[in-house]
Amino acid sequence: MGIVVRVCANLFGVRIAWVGLLLFAGCAGEVPPLPYIVESAASVDASAVELIVLRDEAGGIEAAIAPAKGGELSGLRVRHDGQWTETLQFARDYAPREGFAGKGPFLWPATGRNFPPDLEERRRRGEVFDAGAYEHGGVRRKMPIHGFARDMPWTLEESTATQASARALLTLSDSPAAREMYPFGFRCSVEYLVTGGTLALRYVVRASAQNTEPMFFSLGNHITFLAPLLEGSDPNEMVLASPATLELLKTDYGIPTGETRPAAFAAGMRLGDYPPLVPTSLSGYPETADPYVEYRDPAGLTIRISHHADRVPAQPVVLFNLWGDVRNGFFSPEPWVGLQNSLVQKQGLVFADPGEQFAWTVQIAYESSS
């Protein structure tokens, strides 16, 4: 016998609903656990940042999201050997620290830094320069590394669990603070969707119909995994594999030169041999499939990250940016549709006409063997 039920609650002032069919087990009236769950949580540090958690009990994957912290992916747990295992660096932890804070922040409207066009001349003269700005329409504007979207609070619009999935929708709209850095009207949204043992992040960037010219941007996600993924595994034996055919070369300051060389990651690269904190920008993926990388722990856990965009800029464009240091416990296979210094060089950019939107989906799946 079955009945349809609806359970509603409020999370951070947002209505959460579960709708589905529950089957009673015999006369005892026992109800099986919901296959998908949405619940609230707090960060593990003293700041108690509010999180929303999406869980796939059957598929063994769980995402934590921090609306107030750039709407970022704050944690990603998967089930390995019957136990929930956290895979992200500094997951659910917002304690103050120097340097990169890990997790999975959204990079927009820039990927990487933007440098002055006369950088080399300024360096020769020994001048102090502003690394983090670009010029548009005769106005020089500051732009933080990787853009400003990750530093702004996002609004949780809704979150829902059904028999088929758990999802949350967050948004970010332009503001006076954003307009100082970026002279366009916009609305960004991200839908987190947990279903069938996978996590999808669907980003939509909408250009305001009131914009007077095409809006330009690069975008990405700086997802940062632990190394190793499994306790007791050797981080030096972690492997990254990808079918990319090109590596985009850069200067010592990280500015793309326009040169490329063949990429050699298809058979897998031992990350103990990877130079620490040296970014490697991958492109040249087959057009017949979405670009992807696999991040493999030799103890039996593999994370696969792929992504799909409505359209991809012409070369040069980075589709994955590798960065990290497994010896110090982390590695970032960052999915991008962009380029370092893109706002200055006007390359690797997506252009959206007034009123137009651009969609980009990142999918994360895992394979566990034990």
Side-chain angles (χ1 to χ4, degrees):
M1 175 177 146
I3 60 171
V4 176
V5 301
R6 181 179 183 90
V7 180
C8 297
N10 284 318
L11 180 62
F12 316 146
V14 178
R15 187 175 180 82
I16 304 171
W18 183 84
V19 183
L21 182 67
L22 298 182
L23 300 177
F24 285 91
C27 298
E30 297 178 2
V31 178
L34 305 182
Y36 293 95
I37 295 170
V38 176
E39 62 186 16
S40 61
S43 62
V44 297
D45 62 290
S47 66
V49 172
E50 292 180 326
L51 306 176
I52 180 169
V53 177
L54 311 180
R55 185 181 309 120
D56 175 357
E57 289 284 359
I61 193 166
E62 177 193 271
I65 306 155
K69 298 293 184 178
E72 71 182 356
L73 181 65
S74 179
L76 177 66
R77 297 201 306 166
V78 300
R79 189 180 288 119
H80 173 77
D81 199 20
Q83 302 293 320
W84 286 101
T85 299
E86 180 58 64
T87 66
L88 295 193
Q89 184 195 32
F90 301 134
R92 304 193 187 196
D93 186 352
Y94 289 91
R97 58 176 46 87
E98 294 183 4
F100 184 60
K103 308 176 187 64
F106 177 48
L107 314 181
W108 187 85
T111 47
R113 291 181 172 87
N114 285 274
F115 297 91
D118 55 349
L119 171 64
E120 294 303 325
E121 181 180 345
R122 293 189 183 199
R123 289 177 67 188
R124 284 194 296 269
R125 294 198 301 257
E127 292 182 7
V128 176
F129 57 87
D130 180 12
Y134 69 106
E135 186 174 303
H136 178 67
V139 178
R140 187 165 181 79
R141 300 178 185 275
K142 292 185 179 295
M143 180 58 65
I145 180 174
H146 294 317
F148 54 77
R150 64 180 184 149
D151 298 320
M152 293 186 165
W154 288 51
T155 300
L156 176 62
E157 301 290 351
E158 65 173 319
S159 55
T160 306
T162 70
Q163 282 191 311
S165 67
R167 62 181 290 273
L169 178 66
L170 292 79
T171 60
L172 173 71
S173 297
D174 71 291
S175 63
R179 288 288 181 116
E180 291 182 4
M181 296 177 279
Y182 192 61
F184 298 104
F186 67 86
R187 185 176 186 270
C188 295
S189 66
V190 57
E191 180 190 47
Y192 288 87
L193 182 69
V194 167
T195 183
T198 65
L199 167 65
L201 294 76
R202 185 175 188 268
Y203 297 97
V204 177
V205 178
R206 296 177 176 85
S208 170
Q210 281 68 54
N211 290 345
T212 58
E213 59 181 320
M215 186 176 81
F216 50 84
F217 54 88
S218 288
L219 76 171
N221 190 297
H222 205 316
I223 191 164
T224 304
F225 292 101
L226 292 167
L229 289 170
L230 299 174
E231 187 175 354
S233 189
D234 184 352
N236 291 295
E237 298 302 321
M238 297 290 297
V239 170
L240 185 133
S242 179
T245 61
L246 295 176
E247 179 186 346
L248 278 59
L249 302 184
K250 300 176 288 297
T251 68
D252 61 335
Y253 259 61
I255 298 176
T257 65
E259 301 174 289
T260 63
R261 65 185 174 197
F265 301 97
M269 173 183 61
R270 180 180 178 271
L271 290 178
D273 300 327
Y274 187 86
L277 306 182
V278 174
T280 302
S281 300
L282 302 183
S283 196
Y285 284 85
E287 295 182 359
T288 55
D290 291 337
Y292 74 87
V293 300
E294 289 186 350
Y295 182 63
R296 304 170 182 165
D297 188 305
L301 180 60
T302 295
I303 305 290
R304 179 186 170 107
I305 308 101
S306 61
H307 65 97
H308 179 84
D310 281 351
R311 55 190 181 277
V312 175
Q315 290 290 354
V317 60
V318 178
L319 297 179
F320 272 97
N321 195 62
L322 312 182
W323 178 82
D325 182 2
V326 294
R327 301 160 194 80
N328 282 311
F330 69 96
F331 199 82
S332 298
E334 310 163 39
W336 283 18
V337 179
L339 190 71
Q340 298 89 347
N341 209 39
S342 60
L343 302 185
V344 173
Q345 296 183 207
K346 295 298 188 286
Q347 293 177 310
L349 292 172
V350 175
F351 288 85
D353 289 331
E356 188 179 16
Q357 74 174 35
F358 170 84
W360 179 55
T361 300
V362 177
Q363 183 162 311
I364 303 171
Y366 80 101
E367 181 177 340
S368 173
S369 59
S370 57

